[in-house]
Amino acid sequence: MKGLGEYLNGQNVGILDKMPYGFRTVGASGCGPLAAYNAMRYKGLQPDLPKILRYMELTAAPFFGIFGTFPFSMGYCLRHFGVRNHMTWSLKKLAEAKSGVIAYWTKRPIFGGGHFVFYVRQEDGTYLVYNRWSNVGKPWKVCSLRDIVKRFCLIVGYVVE
C-alpha cells in the first residue's frame, strides 16, 4: 500500500473492504484512517496505510475498532503523521478552509452512525469529498459542505493547515 500515489475512496471497494481494522475491517469502520491517509496525501507526505491503521487501532479506536475511530482523536493522529491541523465545531470555518477532515452523524445524532471524510475546496468554490460514500471509488463533488453535513449532525471538524 505504501506509495499508492492517489487518494483513497470507497472503503467498501476492492482491497480496502477486507483490510483489518481492529476487530472489524476498513470496509466496516475504517473511514477515519482513510481520511487521515488522504490528508497526508494532500500535504505531500508519503502515507503508509498499514501503519496508519495500526497506529489508529492502538490510539483512536475504542473497543478495538467496533465503533470505528473516536472523532476527537483525529487531530492528534493527524499531528502524529505530520499534518498540522486545528479542531473546530464551525461548519463556516471548515467551508472557508482549503481542506479538512469532518466527522459527522450520517442520519440521526448518536444513533445514526458516524462517518469521516476528507475534503478539498476547489477554486470554483465547490468541494471534492473523498470517501463520501463507502461504495463509490471516486471523489464526490458538492457545492456546499451542507450537502454532506446536515443541521445538528457535525460532530467535529479539523482544518488542515
Side-chain angles (χ1 to χ4, degrees):
M1 296 301 306
K2 194 171 187 176
L4 280 175
E6 56 189 60
Y7 294 95
L8 298 180
N9 284 288
Q11 67 193 68
N12 290 104
V13 177
I15 192 172
L16 293 174
D17 186 37
K18 302 294 183 213
M19 290 183 81
Y21 181 54
F23 284 164
R24 302 203 64 197
T25 63
V26 170
S29 54
C31 55
L34 292 191
Y37 179 99
N38 289 334
M40 291 175 66
R41 174 65 57 209
Y42 175 78
K43 294 305 289 181
L45 303 170
Q46 297 296 317
D48 183 332
L49 186 57
K51 284 183 181 178
I52 295 168
L53 289 168
R54 184 67 178 147
Y55 179 79
M56 291 181 82
E57 283 173 346
L58 296 173
T59 62
F63 305 107
F64 307 102
I66 292 171
F67 300 112
T69 304
F70 183 59
F72 301 103
S73 64
M74 181 57 76
Y76 176 80
C77 293
L78 290 170
R79 282 189 295 281
H80 173 81
F81 288 109
V83 178
R84 292 183 54 206
N85 68 89
H86 68 270
M87 183 170 60
T88 184
W89 285 279
S90 168
L91 198 57
K92 182 180 178 187
K93 287 182 181 177
L94 290 165
E96 292 169 351
K98 290 183 181 179
S99 67
V101 173
I102 300 174
Y104 62 96
W105 300 113
T106 57
K107 295 177 184 140
R108 295 183 343 169
I110 302 173
F111 302 106
H115 191 55
F116 278 97
V117 294
F118 173 74
Y119 70 92
V120 176
R121 184 168 43 92
Q122 305 297 291
E123 288 189 25
D124 66 0
T126 61
Y127 302 87
L128 277 183
V129 182
Y130 296 90
N131 198 39
R132 167 66 175 108
W133 304 107
S134 59
N135 61 349
V136 176
K138 62 180 182 165
W140 199 259
K141 189 174 185 177
V142 296
C143 294
S144 166
L145 294 181
R146 274 276 175 234
D147 295 341
I148 300 165
V149 183
K150 304 301 180 206
R151 190 170 168 91
F152 303 116
C153 287
L154 176 66
I155 300 171
V156 68
Y158 298 89
V159 172
V160 172
E161 300 168 347

